[in-house]
């Protein structure tokens, strides 16, 4: 599928094509009842004191669009590095590579008070507000992916929902707001005077359906605004339903933040004649004063009909939900379980609603954390696993009858999850799906590259541009190792894992959102080796052609004929993984450690008269012989016979080319429990610990960076990450939790508690990388190491040697799917202007978490 492999062309064409593809997806219409959240228009949090109706706009090529770990962003480079920068109409920002001037041009709002128009694509909007005094406001904007306010970064409102409220203190005089335009070429912005310092907002609540047949407590979440410069401490939420109430103590809320707070809804006697029930909420100060109230209206459903459930996620203790199309026969233990993953812009509720209830199993639809979320990778992947575990606990299915399906982005999720966790599903059915996210983006490039010059001209691509696009690009060794961190998401490298299960590929004949040739390509690939797959193109079908786009009877007929085999019946087994930390095992064989980190590792098992295992890129292998029948006295491992002294769970390690039986490895080493990649820090009930022991500039920056990351995780992952000052952090209060440290050894008081023995040490104006010392205040770094007082937790570090390095480290693309981050990345202040080419060092620690046994590249 990826015939064209010239990186610069793919990136540039992606920039040009992506907006049209997104528009095409929107115009496709009712994709699993396109969730269509209404944009927030009503204001309950205060009164409008200013509407921005004049602005300056700049259109500039953005050669990445959230597709690279360090996308070039010269505009934010300017405003973060020089926060006092002001611009004037007609001012030239830069000259593009065609010699054209890139100017700031005046724009005005339309009748909806929105700045809009095609010229805003790949654009920035510059706003200013002259305040007569210092005062606290809520900045409300929508349609942007990012905003810089007086030199500090804040999360945007990519989906244009009107969710985002930013509490801040305006300075006296000119305040500068620079917004990066998001998915759609429209921006709205205004300032509100908050009605209270601390209050609820119902923008973005997560609530369950209350079930008539179940008398239990439920979990929900609502956001609380702290528009003050003080911490909100020791508050509680009281929830009342009919005659019952329940109090939930809440985490402390930092100054000038909006936190999404989990709370409990009490069980209650429900009136079966009503469709809804009110939940009255009160936000209570520790002195008993009620400071805010709100009423939520929750649906009442039968648990035997379509409904949604909530649970507490282990990633960050946030409240997530999934939707259920229950078995028509009720809660029958031993029924089948279908996991259905939704497409981009689709709510899990509507995904489940697209299916009629089955008479032999329960169907559950996770959220991917958000309707767009993470394309079922990263935290979307973890969300799917959490929902699978929770629904198995609830429905107690036959564990041999677990199935996976999904549509569009969820079709990708089906290909991806099916390849990543092949032994968990008896069969998979991708509908209108693409196997690999980056190759899907690249396929858009191929379509333009195959066009005639006249056709390309219709997209504004001149011959000179096309020549530039197709220029050969040779990545550096550093860039290659950064890209290698994404191997676990390269689905086609794991394609033989589909041998674990039956596959049904369903695609519309005339799909122009996920082009049909992608499905045909997978048909060809599977046809080369897979004995059990079905391919069907729905005649005349577009991307969505009704509920049978997913609820297709032949899919469930195939499912009914497939089961996950028992270990005793498996005589042949293949398995591949990009990282044991993502996926380590299939059935009774596990890959614990790799020889080359984040390259594909695999085993090929067969058992006829001889128990044989052939491995590639594996240094530590686990075989659980207790699951297997009969006597096993020896195995052939990579062509060498090894005697098995006892039929136990046994580990084999390759040492100097020879495989030996070894004791169970120490949890201090890398393994499935903790294997790295910087993104892995953002799970396991992660907490952010920011520096307070530096200069005022350092303290402000690191606090705002931690707040920015927490806000981003809320918006993109429906998250709830606790912020803690370094002086308030103790190992005892946060046992076995992942921690992300913001700061360095000189300014973060928690550094020595967590990183005293780290092979990387960062100070003001200097960093030590093992025995290597590097000077200067311009270095930024991300890295991950084990938490020394825990067998499972990790410490992520966002650090810098000085002010320039801190600003270089502002980007949080590690919270974006499709980006790749190894264990460590070192870069300087030019990274915003130069992108990944400014990364000076990247790589992976060894299996013992050392630098000496690691794999690092330097520029």
């Amino acid at each position: 599928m990826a015939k064209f492999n010239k990186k610069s062309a793919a990136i540039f064409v992606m920039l040009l094509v992506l907006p049209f593809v997104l528009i095409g997806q929107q115009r496709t219409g009712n994709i699993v009842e396109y969730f269509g959240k209404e944009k927030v228009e009503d204001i309950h949090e205060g009164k409008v004191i200013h509407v921005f109706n004049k602005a300056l706009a700049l259109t500039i090529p953005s050669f990445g669009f959230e597709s690279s770990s360090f996308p070039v962003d010269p505009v934010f480079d300017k405003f973060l590095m020089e926060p006092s920068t002001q611009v004037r109409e007609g001012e030239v920002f830069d000259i593009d590579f065609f010699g054209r001037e890139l100017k700031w041009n005046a724009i005005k709002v339309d009748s909806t008070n929105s700045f809009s128009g095609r010229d805003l694509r790949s654009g920035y909007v510059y706003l200013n507000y002259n305040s007569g005094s210092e005062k606290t406001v809520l900045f409300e904007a929508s349609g942007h992916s990012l905003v810089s306010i007086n030199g500090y970064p804040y999360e945007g409102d990519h989906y244009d929902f009107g969710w985002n409220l930013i509490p801040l203190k305006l300075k006296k005089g000119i305040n500068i707001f620079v917004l990066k335009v998001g998915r759609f070429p429209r921006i709205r912005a205004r300032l509100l005077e908050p009605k209270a310092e601390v209050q609820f907002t119902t923008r973005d609540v997560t609530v369950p359906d209350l079930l008539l047949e179940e008398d239990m407590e439920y979990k929900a979440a609502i956001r609380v605004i702290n528009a003050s410069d003080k911490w909100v401490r020791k508050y509680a939420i009281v929830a009342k339903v009919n005659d019952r109430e329940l109090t939930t103590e809440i985490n402390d809320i930092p100054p000038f933040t909006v936190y999404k707070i989990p709370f409990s809804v009490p069980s209650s006697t429900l009136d079966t004649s009503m469709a809804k029930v009110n939940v009255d909420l009160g936000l209570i100060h520790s002195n008993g004063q009620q400071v805010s109230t709100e009423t939520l209206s929750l649906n009442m459903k039968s648990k035997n009909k379509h409904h949604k459930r909530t649970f507490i996620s282990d990633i960050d203790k946030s409240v997530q939900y999934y939707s259920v199309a229950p078995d028509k026969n009720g809660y029958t233990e031993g029924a089948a379980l279908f996991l259905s993953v939704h497409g981009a812009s689709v709510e899990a509720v509507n995904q489940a609603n697209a299916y009629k209830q089955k008479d032999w199993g329960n169907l559950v639809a996770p959220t991917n954390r958000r309707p767009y979320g993470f394309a079922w990778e990263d935290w979307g992947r973890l969300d799917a696993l959490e929902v699978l575990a929770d629904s198995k606990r609830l429905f107690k299915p036959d564990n041999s009858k677990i199935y996976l399906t999904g549509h569009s982005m969820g079709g990708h999720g089906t290909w991806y999850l099916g390849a990543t966790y092949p032994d968990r599903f008896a069969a998979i059915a991708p509908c209108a799906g693409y196997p690999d996210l980056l190759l899907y983006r690249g396929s858009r490039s191929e379509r333009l590259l195959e066009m005639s010059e006249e056709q390309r001209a219709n997209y504004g691509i001149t011959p000179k541009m096309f020549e530039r696009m197709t220029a050969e690009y040779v990545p550096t060794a550093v860039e290659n190792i950064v890209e290698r961190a994404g191997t676990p998401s390269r689905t086609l490298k794991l394609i033989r894992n589909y041998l674990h299960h039956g596959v049904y590929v369903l695609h519309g004949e005339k799909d122009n959102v996920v082009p049909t040739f992608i499905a045909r390509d997978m048909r060809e690939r599977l046809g080369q080796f897979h004995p059990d797959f079905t391919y069907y193109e729905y005649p005349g079908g577009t991307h969505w052609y009704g509920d049978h786009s997913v609820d297709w009877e032949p899919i469930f007929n195939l499912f009914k004929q497939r089961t996950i085999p028992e270990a005793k019946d498996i005589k042949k087994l293949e398995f591949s993984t990009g990282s044991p930390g993502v996926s380590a095992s299939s059935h009774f064989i596990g890959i614990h450690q790799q020889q080359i980190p984040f390259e594909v590792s695999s085993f090929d098992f067969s058992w006829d008269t001889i128990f044989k295992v052939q491995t590639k890129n594996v240094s530590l292998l686990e075989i659980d012989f207790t699951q297997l029948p009969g006597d096993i006295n020896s195995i052939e491992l990579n062509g060498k016979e090894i005697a098995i002294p006892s039929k136990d769970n046994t580990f084999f390690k390759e040492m100097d080319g020879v495989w030996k039986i070894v004791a169970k490895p120490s949890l201090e080493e890398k393994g499935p429990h903790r294997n790295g990649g910087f993104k892995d820090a953002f799970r396991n009930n992660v907490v952010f610990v920011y520096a307070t022991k530096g200069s005022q500039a350092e303290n402000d920056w690191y606090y705002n960076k931690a707040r920015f990351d927490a806000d981003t995780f809320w918006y993109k992952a429906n998250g709830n990450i606790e912020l803690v000052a370094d002086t308030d952090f103790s190992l005892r209060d946060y046992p076995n939790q992942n921690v992300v440290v913001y700061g360095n050894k000189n300014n973060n008081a928690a550094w020595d508690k967590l990183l005293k023995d780290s092979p990387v040490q960062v100070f003001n104006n200097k960093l030590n990388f093992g025995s290597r010392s590097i000077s200067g205040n311009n270095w930024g770094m991300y890295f991950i190491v084990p938490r020394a007082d825990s067998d499972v937790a990790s410490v992520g570090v966002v650090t810098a040697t000085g002010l320039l390095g801190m600003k270089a480290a502002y980007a949080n693309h590690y919270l974006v799917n499709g980006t790749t981050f190894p264990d460590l990345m070192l870069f300087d202040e030019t990274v915003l202007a130069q992108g990944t080419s400014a990364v000076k060092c990247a790589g992976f620690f060894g299996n013992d978490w050392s630098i000496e046994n690691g794999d690092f590249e330097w520029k």
Side-chain angles (χ1 to χ4, degrees), residues 304-322:
N304 298 313
K305 301 294 182 182
H306 289 77
H307 62 272
K308 64 178 180 177
R309 292 177 175 269
T310 53
F311 67 98
I312 299 293
S313 169
D314 287 335
I315 296 170
D316 56 355
K317 297 307 178 187
S318 62
V319 176
Q320 304 298 328
Y321 93 88
Y322 61 95

Side-chain angles (χ1 to χ4, degrees), residues 561-580:
Q561 304 303 316
R562 308 297 188 278
T563 56
I564 300 172
E566 294 184 39
K568 64 181 180 63
D569 297 323
I570 297 174
K571 300 302 180 183
K572 185 169 179 57
L573 183 64
E574 293 183 41
F575 174 75
S576 299
T577 182
S579 166

Side-chain angles (χ1 to χ4, degrees), residues 442-488:
S443 73
R444 304 166 185 160
S445 307
E446 288 192 27
R447 279 184 282 172
L448 278 189
L449 293 169
E450 292 170 359
M451 291 179 180
S452 67
E453 183 175 315
E454 182 179 357
Q455 288 171 321
R456 287 194 292 268
N458 292 333
Y459 286 96
I461 303 174
T462 66
K464 188 172 183 179
M465 291 172 67
F466 186 71
E467 180 183 354
R468 174 92 179 196
M469 288 159 46
T470 53
E472 188 67 44
Y473 180 85
V474 179
T476 66
V478 170
E479 289 172 318
N480 280 332
I481 209 165
V482 171
E483 183 180 348
R484 200 170 93 200
T487 299

Side-chain angles (χ1 to χ4, degrees), residues 258-280:
V258 185
Y259 255 32
K260 192 163 187 180
I261 304 294
F263 65 93
S264 296
V265 177
S267 62
S268 177
T269 303
L270 301 175
D271 184 347
T272 57
S273 67
M274 303 292 289
K276 293 181 178 291
V277 64
N278 286 340
V279 178
D280 295 319

Side-chain angles (χ1 to χ4, degrees), residues 394-554:
L394 179 67
F395 296 115
K396 297 178 175 56
D398 181 336
N399 283 324
S400 71
K401 298 179 180 179
I402 311 295
Y403 307 93
L404 172 66
T405 186
H407 179 266
S408 191
M409 182 182 76
H412 163 64
T414 303
W415 285 121
Y416 170 67
L417 294 168
T420 305
Y421 305 106
D423 61 341
R424 303 195 188 195
F425 306 104
I428 67 172
C431 307
Y434 47 92
D436 187 289
L437 178 63
L438 295 188
L439 290 181
Y440 171 51
R441 291 172 176 172
S443 73
R444 304 166 185 160
S445 307
E446 288 192 27
R447 279 184 282 172
L448 278 189
L449 293 169
E450 292 170 359
M451 291 179 180
S452 67
E453 183 175 315
E454 182 179 357
Q455 288 171 321
R456 287 194 292 268
N458 292 333
Y459 286 96
I461 303 174
T462 66
K464 188 172 183 179
M465 291 172 67
F466 186 71
E467 180 183 354
R468 174 92 179 196
M469 288 159 46
T470 53
E472 188 67 44
Y473 180 85
V474 179
T476 66
V478 170
E479 289 172 318
N480 280 332
I481 209 165
V482 171
E483 183 180 348
R484 200 170 93 200
T487 299
S489 292
R490 300 288 70 78
T491 314
L492 294 181
K493 292 185 177 183
L494 312 178
I495 193 169
R496 293 188 67 85
N497 284 353
Y498 297 131
L499 287 168
H500 282 67
H501 34 235
V503 179
Y504 194 109
V505 182
L506 177 64
H507 217 95
E509 179 191 19
K510 297 181 178 180
D511 191 337
N512 64 353
V513 175
V514 180
T516 308
F517 77 79
I518 292 178
R520 293 172 183 170
D521 178 81
M522 283 303 290
R523 177 183 61 187
E524 291 181 17
R525 292 176 188 267
L526 292 174
Q528 295 174 17
F529 71 94
H530 202 298
D532 183 22
F533 79 94
T534 299
Y535 179 90
Y536 185 74
E537 278 183 24
Y538 191 85
T542 54
H543 192 56
W544 179 258
Y545 42 88
D547 286 353
H548 51 293
S549 303
V550 290
D551 195 9
W552 181 239
E553 186 176 2

Side-chain angles (χ1 to χ4, degrees), residues 58 60 71-88 91-94 104 124 126 146 148-153 176-178 701 804 807-808 810 829-834:
L58 174 70
I60 188 169
V72 172
D73 195 337
V75 176
F76 269 75
D77 181 35
K78 181 71 172 178
F79 286 96
L80 295 179
M81 292 295 181
E82 303 173 30
S84 61
T85 297
Q86 298 184 37
V87 297
R88 299 182 302 276
E91 183 174 326
V92 176
F93 176 77
D94 202 355
W104 290 98
Y124 295 80
Y126 171 94
L146 190 68
S148 167
I149 304 177
N150 293 332
Y152 289 108
I176 303 298
F177 305 79
V178 182
W701 184 264
L804 289 175
K807 293 189 175 184
Y810 103 91
E829 80 282 9
T830 65
V831 74
L832 294 176
Q834 297 183 14

